[in-house]
Amino acid sequence: MPDINIMIGDCMDLMKSKPDKYYDLAIVDPPYGIKELAYRFSFQTKKAKAKEYDRSVFEQDIPNKKYFSELFRVSKNQIIWGGNYFPLSPSRCWIVWDKLTTGNFADCELAWTSFNTSVRKFTYRWNGMIQHNVKNKQKRIHATEKPVDLYKWILKKYAIPGFKILDTYGGSMSHAIACYDLGFSLDIIEIVENNYIQAKKRFYDHVTKCQEIKKFGFAKSELSKINPLLF
């Protein structure tokens, strides 16, 4: 199993404890400072109904200069989602996530990077109940959750085996799942307790499923939810 450390706490305390350039790459998704309620759709019942997630992520202000100073100190390279909201230096390489959305949602999300390469685009539908991977939809637990496949694409393009990676805003732990599947070491921290509890469970449920498939050829934990009397 890759060395993945899931922590609860203040990312500033974590970064202050690390020496300069400790991490090869930081991939982070800080709050954008958008103070509004987030609504998504839940299909746990036959009728779709609006679901309100923990609004605390929307009530957080954007990180201050001290955060960015520490982030650049402890990491050799950075990928920062929402870079268009923050006072960052010009960059040649931006990541554009085309979400193929409709209605009043943003068409894309942008990530600033420290890499001196070309702009790259990742197209992956993420529009309410409609997802790119229709056969294996990602059950969302966080208001600003990103697809695991998005993080896998980033890791394949911008990380190499042996990299030690940092994530200062763990959120739903999609990043942790991607690192686990691809074998990358990761320190990931989340400050909101409720988010941390749900996301940590999501990550370890994924680990259990992967280990069961490797051992038995199928996921006992998943089948037991459907047929609990069999297991």
Side-chain angles (χ1 to χ4, degrees), residues 13-39:
D13 294 333
L14 172 63
M15 289 192 289
K16 287 176 181 177
S17 71
K18 303 300 182 184
D20 293 355
K21 307 305 177 188
Y22 180 77
Y23 297 100
D24 298 288
L25 176 61
I27 305 174
V28 300
D29 188 12
Y32 300 174
I34 304 173
K35 297 176 186 274
E36 61 186 35
L37 285 176
Y39 289 94

Side-chain angles (χ1 to χ4, degrees), residues 83-132:
N84 48 314
Y85 289 93
F86 310 131
L88 299 168
S89 61
S91 172
R92 279 192 61 205
C93 177
W94 285 77
I95 294 172
V96 180
W97 170 27
D98 184 356
K99 302 164 75 172
L100 297 175
T101 57
T102 57
N104 295 322
F105 299 98
D107 293 341
C108 303
E109 286 193 41
L110 302 177
W112 178 99
T113 86
S114 60
F115 295 99
N116 188 29
T117 56
S118 301
V119 172
R120 292 286 178 257
K121 184 173 80 169
F122 178 74
T123 301
Y124 193 97
R125 187 178 295 277
W126 196 251
N127 185 17
M129 65 178 179
I130 305 172
Q131 295 186 21
H132 184 87

Side-chain angles (χ1 to χ4, degrees), residues 2-214:
D3 184 17
I4 297 177
N5 301 307
I6 297 177
M7 297 166 275
I8 183 170
D10 191 327
C11 64
M12 291 297 292
D13 294 333
L14 172 63
M15 289 192 289
K16 287 176 181 177
S17 71
K18 303 300 182 184
D20 293 355
K21 307 305 177 188
Y22 180 77
Y23 297 100
D24 298 288
L25 176 61
I27 305 174
V28 300
D29 188 12
Y32 300 174
I34 304 173
K35 297 176 186 274
E36 61 186 35
L37 285 176
Y39 289 94
R40 296 294 186 266
F41 289 99
S42 171
F43 292 92
Q44 296 175 352
T45 61
K46 292 183 180 180
K47 292 184 179 180
K49 60 181 180 180
K51 179 179 180 181
E52 182 180 329
Y53 288 90
D54 189 337
R55 65 178 294 171
S56 60
V57 67
F58 291 94
E59 295 175 336
Q60 296 178 46
D61 293 323
I62 66 173
N64 56 30
K65 291 182 179 180
K66 291 182 179 180
Y67 166 81
F68 289 108
S69 178
E70 279 297 289
L71 185 70
F72 286 109
R73 181 187 66 80
V74 299
S75 56
K76 298 173 185 176
N77 279 292
Q78 304 81 29
I79 295 174
I80 303 173
W81 282 105
N84 48 314
Y85 289 93
F86 310 131
L88 299 168
S89 61
S91 172
R92 279 192 61 205
C93 177
W94 285 77
I95 294 172
V96 180
W97 170 27
D98 184 356
K99 302 164 75 172
L100 297 175
T101 57
T102 57
N104 295 322
F105 299 98
D107 293 341
C108 303
E109 286 193 41
L110 302 177
W112 178 99
T113 86
S114 60
F115 295 99
N116 188 29
T117 56
S118 301
V119 172
R120 292 286 178 257
K121 184 173 80 169
F122 178 74
T123 301
Y124 193 97
R125 187 178 295 277
W126 196 251
N127 185 17
M129 65 178 179
I130 305 172
Q131 295 186 21
H132 184 87
N133 191 339
V134 295
K135 293 183 179 180
N136 188 25
K137 286 187 177 181
Q138 185 170 312
K139 184 179 178 181
R140 303 190 201 185
I141 63 170
H142 191 275
T144 60
E145 185 168 329
K146 288 180 167 56
V148 172
D149 286 343
L150 172 61
Y151 283 102
K152 287 184 176 180
W153 178 85
I154 290 171
L155 291 166
K156 289 175 182 178
K157 280 199 169 293
Y158 298 99
I160 60 175
F163 264 23
K164 188 166 185 61
I165 300 170
L166 170 68
D167 189 335
T168 56
Y169 291 92
S172 66
M173 300 296 167
S174 289
H175 188 187
I177 292 173
C179 281
Y180 173 81
D181 287 351
L182 297 182
F184 286 100
S185 295
L186 173 71
D187 282 352
I188 186 167
I189 189 166
E190 170 60 44
I191 196 170
V192 180
E193 184 177 8
N194 186 53
N195 291 341
Y196 167 79
I197 292 170
Q198 290 188 78
K200 184 178 180 181
K201 181 181 184 303
R202 178 192 179 207
F203 173 76
Y204 282 108
D205 283 349
H206 177 78
V207 171
T208 298
K209 178 180 177 180
C210 291
Q211 291 176 342
E212 289 175 347
I213 291 173
K214 184 177 181 180

